[in-house]
Amino acid sequence: QVQVVESGGGLAQAGGSLRLSCVASGSRFSIGAMRWFRQAPGKQRELVAVITRGGATNYADSVKGRFTISRDNAKNTLYLQMNSLKPEDTAVYVCNCITETPWGTDNYWGQGTQVTVSS
């Protein structure tokens, strides 16, 4: 069973920075795409950023130019560097990884880490 654990959330002031990490452990297979989602109270879950195993990235318009997603394949670790934070970035940030198995793909989710940005 794959375990996905996020860390690095917390409280930041507007304009500040935080770096989130996510470690995926226990997989017998390669981890393909990894993604960061976020969900604010009363709002739908939003895809923030995605990175393929090869390093191709894509971002939500709301975070382009401010957030950077990266990964270390050797450590099965995903990162999200968040700069120029805004109060509207306040949410629970959840890591998702997709394993590539001989019979298809499996999705695994972390529990999430809270990010709170004060104005």
Side-chain angles (χ1 to χ4, degrees):
Q1 185 70 12
V2 177
Q3 304 292 325
V4 179
V5 180
E6 304 96 337
S7 62
L11 178 65
Q13 290 189 332
S17 299
L18 285 173
R19 189 190 194 209
L20 306 183
S21 299
C22 166
V23 179
S25 59
S27 177
R28 294 189 294 141
F29 306 104
S30 294
I31 295 177
M34 300 183 80
R35 300 178 289 183
W36 285 103
F37 288 83
R38 67 185 181 186
Q39 186 160 20
K43 295 187 177 181
Q44 287 191 331
R45 186 176 64 186
E46 174 188 21
L47 176 60
V48 176
V50 58
I51 185 168
T52 67
R53 184 170 182 83
T57 60
N58 202 10
Y59 297 90
D61 287 343
S62 58
V63 307
K64 278 181 182 177
R66 301 188 297 120
F67 291 9
T68 302
I69 190 171
S70 61
R71 64 189 286 172
D72 183 334
N73 289 335
K75 298 179 180 179
N76 285 338
T77 301
L78 176 70
Y79 304 99
L80 186 68
Q81 178 66 43
M82 305 185 294
N83 299 329
S84 301
L85 284 163
K86 303 176 180 180
E88 51 263 43
D89 294 320
T90 295
V92 175
Y93 285 70
V94 181
C95 173
N96 165 258
C97 69
I98 300 171
T99 59
E100 298 168 343
T101 73
W103 50 85
T105 59
D106 289 328
N107 261 286
Y108 295 94
W109 298 86
Q111 293 293 315
T113 184
Q114 177 70 47
V115 171
T116 302
V117 183
S118 61
S119 57

